[in-house]
Amino acid sequence: MGDPKDFQFNLPAAARPGVHSLHEKIHAAAWAAAPGSTSARPEAAASAIRTIVIHATAGSSTEGAVSVVAARRASFHWLVADEDEAAHGDFVWATAPESRAAWHVRNTCFHPDVYNGARRVNDWSLGIEIVNAQRGGDGFSDWQLQATAQIVRYAWAKYSNLAHVVSHARLDPDRRTDPGSRFPWEKFEALVLLDQCLRTTNNV
Ligand SMILES: [Zn+2]
């Protein structure tokens, strides 16, 4: 597997999908906490969104990940459940409004290849958390990869300035390694760019 600090691919404007639906459900506890654990975007999301950041939780459950939102320590827009959770294989959790800036990357972090090295990544990004221990033998399931790719395609269709998909590790290499070296980045990139997403029941 590759080095998470190198995980990035860009979304060619010419390949932007049309409308792409997303099988998501609002996570009530996270959503209720979101007003206190997110910020207003300085620019409207429709034009502001340039980047999607891929994270892994370094934990074993949706509830554990959501607890940080309730504690106002961090937040993210979607959460992809682990293999032993009921949502796995079915839907992704929406955990904060896309219109709000979630707190998933430190404001001082940047990378020159991501939106020209701009700071305050949260203001112009969306964050996805994948439940994964990031240790031992915990790999990522095919469904987790496909569901994450489906979120990216949904956002790519919706936000005309969305151009980059990156790991948290690329933006914060001194402090973060997620989604980890076990995350199959090239396979994930192919799922996004070649539209091999799961076809779920609420597709339009
Ligand atoms: Zn992260």
Side-chain angles (χ1 to χ4, degrees):
M1 297 296 180
D3 184 338
K5 294 193 294 293
D6 298 331
F7 289 174
Q8 175 175 350
F9 61 88
N10 297 326
L11 299 169
R16 184 179 308 282
V19 172
H20 196 284
S21 67
L22 181 63
H23 194 194
E24 63 179 344
K25 292 188 180 179
I26 288 177
H27 191 289
W31 206 264
S37 60
T38 60
S39 308
R41 293 188 190 276
E43 181 183 354
S47 55
I49 304 298
R50 265 84 180 186
T51 296
I52 289 188
V53 183
I54 307 298
H55 303 261
T57 59
S60 58
S61 73
T62 292
E63 296 315 309
V66 166
S67 69
V68 306
V69 181
R72 300 187 177 185
R73 294 199 305 268
S75 56
F76 39 87
H77 294 94
W78 291 279
L79 187 136
V80 179
D82 211 350
E83 287 94 326
D84 61 351
E85 299 185 298
H88 186 274
D90 189 357
F91 62 89
V92 297
W93 289 113
T95 47
E98 296 159 40
S99 59
R100 303 275 294 175
W103 303 340
H104 54 107
V105 178
R106 281 201 307 177
N107 282 336
T108 51
C109 292
F110 69 98
H111 191 285
D113 293 341
V114 182
Y115 192 30
N116 301 316
R119 269 67 167 181
R120 298 190 64 86
V121 173
N122 296 331
D123 286 348
W124 41 271
S125 69
L126 296 162
I128 303 173
E129 284 278 3
I130 307 169
V131 180
N132 181 272
Q134 284 196 86
R135 61 177 178 272
D138 190 12
F140 292 84
S141 73
D142 285 345
W143 182 83
Q144 285 183 310
L145 293 178
Q146 290 169 334
T148 306
Q150 191 175 39
I151 297 170
V152 175
R153 286 190 66 84
Y154 157 82
W156 188 12
K158 186 172 181 177
Y159 297 107
S160 59
N161 289 328
L162 179 59
H164 312 291
V165 182
V166 296
S167 65
H168 193 188
R170 187 158 179 85
L171 292 165
D172 197 354
D174 295 333
R175 296 174 66 244
R176 296 289 187 243
T177 59
D178 62 313
S181 59
R182 293 181 62 91
F183 187 88
W185 188 259
E186 291 182 3
K187 182 177 178 181
F188 168 64
E189 178 179 354
L191 288 169
V192 171
L193 297 181
L194 303 179
D195 190 19
Q196 295 168 342
C197 297
L198 282 180
R199 297 303 177 186
T200 51
T201 50
N202 72 336
N203 275 356
V204 293

